[in-house]
Amino acid sequence: MSRQMVRPGGRSARVQAAVHAAVRDLSAEVGRDALTVPLVAQRAGVTPSTIYRRWGDLRELLSDVAVERLRPEGTPEDHGSLGRDLTAWAEQFLDEMASPTGRAYIRDALLGDPDGGNAGRCSAYAADHIRAIVTRAAERGEEAPDVETVMDVVVAPLMYRILFRPDGLDTAFARRLVARLLGSDEV
């Protein structure tokens, strides 16, 4: 997690954007394992001391970039029912997080953040999406579980399998979790 607050549009935000872009570009070009603070600084057009002062070390920088990359864009799509909305969200979540890139971002987010703040931020991203889905369902008059129940029954098992037992993990697993949550055979 960055050591300083970022003001939108200020120099700090421009530095963060340049450094994050440099990390992403260099990771694609030379690979994550070849990254160094001086290499990132040179690409971003800042001094290495700027990176050290703001992020502390390469691991914290990679963690900050990972958390930003794990933030979902927009709100979950409306598919017309709680079951279809949750299923589509769970399938997309699984697809993104179980990919090699997704797993690398999860690893980086957690490794560079021993106090757990990044894990909390990533969890909040998922909870915000779930909240939007269950709120929309309630507005349609559907009975909807609370956010924490969805996190416990759907998101937690997905994350466990992504991190520790990825073999054989597929969208059918995500669909079964949603069906179990909703007490149905299919959604």
Side-chain angles (χ1 to χ4, degrees):
M1 188 157 154
S2 65
R3 294 168 180 253
Q4 300 173 357
M5 294 301 292
V6 177
R7 289 186 314 258
R11 180 183 185 283
S12 184
R14 287 190 302 275
V15 167
Q16 179 178 348
V19 171
H20 279 216
V23 168
R24 289 190 306 272
D25 293 347
L26 287 167
S27 291
E29 292 169 22
V30 301
R32 183 199 167 285
D33 293 338
L35 294 181
T36 64
V37 168
L39 184 62
V40 171
Q42 179 182 22
R43 175 64 65 94
V46 300
T47 64
S49 63
T50 298
I51 292 175
Y52 289 121
R53 187 172 45 253
R54 176 151 183 172
W55 285 279
D57 62 21
L58 182 61
R59 190 177 347 185
E60 287 184 43
L61 171 58
L62 292 174
S63 183
D64 192 48
V65 170
V67 170
E68 187 63 31
R69 298 303 292 172
L70 290 169
R71 179 191 320 212
E73 296 178 14
T75 57
E77 193 173 331
D78 186 345
H79 296 275
S81 74
L82 175 63
R84 287 191 297 272
D85 287 354
L86 279 176
T87 299
W89 182 87
E91 289 175 349
Q92 181 179 351
F93 181 83
L94 175 61
D95 185 53
E96 291 172 3
M97 296 300 140
S99 72
T101 301
R103 277 192 251 172
Y105 283 140
I106 292 167
R107 183 188 67 233
D108 284 345
L110 299 177
L111 283 177
D113 183 47
D115 72 359
N118 286 348
R121 286 171 55 199
C122 291
S123 177
Y125 297 156
D128 288 347
H129 267 196
I130 299 301
R131 187 172 295 103
I133 290 169
V134 298
T135 298
R136 188 168 51 219
E139 289 169 352
R140 286 192 293 250
E142 295 178 82
E143 188 174 321
D146 64 78
V147 172
E148 289 306 310
T149 299
V150 178
M151 296 293 284
D152 291 344
V153 176
V154 177
V155 180
L158 284 173
M159 283 304 295
Y160 180 85
R161 290 288 305 270
I162 289 165
L163 292 172
F164 301 113
R165 298 191 63 192
D167 290 344
L169 187 56
D170 59 14
T171 56
F173 179 71
R175 287 191 297 273
R176 285 191 307 272
L177 292 172
V178 173
R180 186 176 306 141
L181 170 75
L182 300 178
S184 65
D185 292 331
E186 64 180 69
V187 288

